[in-house]
Amino acid sequence: MTSSASHVHHDGHGHGHVHGHTHDHGDTGQDDSLAEVLDLDAEIFAPYLTSVTARIAELAGDGVRHVVDLGSGTGTGTSALLERFPHATVTAVDSSPAMLAGLVEAFRAKGLGERVRTLEADAGTGLAGITDADLVWASASLHHLDDPATAIDGIRAALRPGGLLAVAELDGMPHFLPDDAVADRPGLETRCREALDGLHAEQVPHLGADWGALLTASGLVVEQERTERLELRAPLPAAAGQYAHAVLGRIRGAVDGLVAPADLAALDTLLDGGPADVRHRDDLVVRSTRELWLARRPAAAA
Ligand SMILES: C[S@@+](CC[C@H](N)C(=O)[O-])C[C@H]1O[C@@H](n2cnc3c(N)ncnc32)[C@H](O)[C@@H]1O
């Protein structure tokens, strides 16, 4: 039951997982652009997601029947976990009705509607009577919650004794561009990223929290902790340019007013379909750091 936590740094190729982090609720356009980023991210970094679900299966064993996807978004994790655990059903929990509606439609279209149910809820306030989850998957969602410590207590209560919580987080937006991507604005992406980090510090203060400590404080036993620094270089997957465009478009929206007008104009040249547009460039390198914690609710004392 008690295992030591391992911490592995890995500079890998072909793995990763990335999200936008602006506040999206109640704004359909923002939901749409987030949905696009989430789906492209899952496509580009599919090998990483596959490796993560394999790691989960090693600890969870064959008996996984009920999975909760907490902050499910478009269902990238739901999809990967349905495939990994063919006898499982997934409860997709999200506070965004638009995300859940899209998810339901997508899984119905794939013929998997019977294996997915949805729960529209603030995941920070408990999981509506769920007490039998074999696995809770929380990818890029816990940092959105107002009070993650209370939320983790709620997750613990939703897990059966012996059940697993997988927390996947990331260090912010991915990087794509060389320093001189726009000749007269060197360092453009770094400045935008710094502006975004400042915004995140205000809007999503739990981004980068010490999740291992929070899980332990809630009485969960952290069995694995991994950090992977991911880097994709040419030849990139076909969707990489569109992914860069979707992410940088969201960054453009978030940093409007926070960076110099000349930087905004330079960002526009990367997005406007012209010769510098990220969808046409051959100098993109996709870099992102992903973290994973796997923690178990201890089995009940005999
Ligand atoms: C960055 S997305 C991650 C989506 C998905 N887990 C993935 O990795 O592709 C965060 C998701 O959490 C949802 N979310 C944010 N705050 C929430 C809350 N308080 N309760 C439930 N879901 C929430 C958002 O609507 C969004 O779908």
Side-chain angles (χ1 to χ4, degrees):
M1 187 165 64
T2 310
S3 333
S4 59
S6 65
H7 195 103
V8 180
H9 287 272
H10 170 73
D11 289 310
H13 297 269
H15 306 285
H17 197 69
V18 176
H19 307 289
H21 286 283
T22 50
H23 282 275
D24 301 294
H25 307 299
D27 179 332
T28 308
Q30 281 291 307
D31 261 346
D32 286 350
S33 79
L34 175 60
E36 183 188 15
V37 168
L38 297 175
D39 283 342
L40 286 167
D41 177 76
E43 181 180 340
I44 287 173
F45 294 118
Y48 175 70
L49 195 50
T50 301
S51 73
V52 166
T53 62
R55 195 167 288 287
I56 290 170
E58 275 170 26
L59 292 188
D62 296 333
V64 173
R65 294 291 181 275
H66 186 197
V67 176
V68 173
D69 184 356
L70 186 138
S72 48
T74 56
T76 56
T78 297
S79 188
L81 293 163
L82 284 175
E83 193 177 334
R84 177 64 67 190
F85 299 109
H87 304 295
T89 56
V90 174
T91 303
V93 182
D94 208 288
S95 55
S96 161
M99 282 293 186
L100 289 174
L103 183 150
V104 165
E105 203 180 302
F107 284 96
R108 273 196 196 134
K110 288 193 263 189
L112 291 169
E114 293 292 310
R115 294 180 61 200
V116 179
R117 76 175 187 106
T118 59
L119 175 62
E120 185 187 325
D122 176 354
T125 58
L127 289 169
I130 297 174
T131 55
D132 66 344
D134 300 298
L135 170 66
V136 174
W137 165 253
S139 167
S141 53
L142 286 188
H143 66 258
H144 284 284
L145 306 180
D146 293 335
D147 179 359
T150 301
I152 292 168
D153 287 344
I155 292 170
R156 185 182 189 281
L159 284 169
R160 66 162 172 79
L164 274 184
L165 168 60
V167 176
E169 283 284 331
L170 64 170
D171 71 336
M173 290 292 195
H175 300 250
F176 299 99
L177 296 164
D179 200 50
D180 60 353
V182 179
D184 58 346
R185 303 299 297 169
L188 172 68
E189 190 178 39
T190 301
R191 283 191 300 283
C192 290
R193 169 121 181 177
E194 283 167 3
L196 201 62
D197 286 347
L199 201 64
H200 284 162
E202 278 172 37
Q203 292 187 342
V204 275
H206 303 298
L207 188 64
D210 185 350
W211 296 107
L214 285 163
L215 298 174
T216 303
S218 174
L220 298 167
V221 178
V222 177
E223 297 191 359
Q224 284 194 24
E225 181 180 347
R226 277 177 82 83
T227 301
E228 299 204 34
R229 297 194 177 86
L230 307 167
E231 190 174 289
L232 295 184
R233 290 180 172 272
L236 291 171
Q242 187 57 38
Y243 175 64
H245 189 266
V247 171
L248 290 169
R250 283 175 61 78
I251 291 176
R252 166 71 174 81
V255 302
D256 197 349
L258 299 177
V259 297
D263 277 345
L264 280 185
L267 256 183
D268 286 337
T269 69
L270 298 171
L271 300 169
D272 64 4
D277 190 294
V278 287
R279 289 166 293 184
H280 310 143
R281 302 179 73 108
D282 60 6
D283 59 352
L284 301 184
V285 177
V286 187
R287 292 195 179 90
S288 179
T289 299
R290 310 291 168 110
E291 291 183 286
L292 177 72
W293 289 262
L294 299 180
R296 196 181 297 278
R297 175 177 175 170

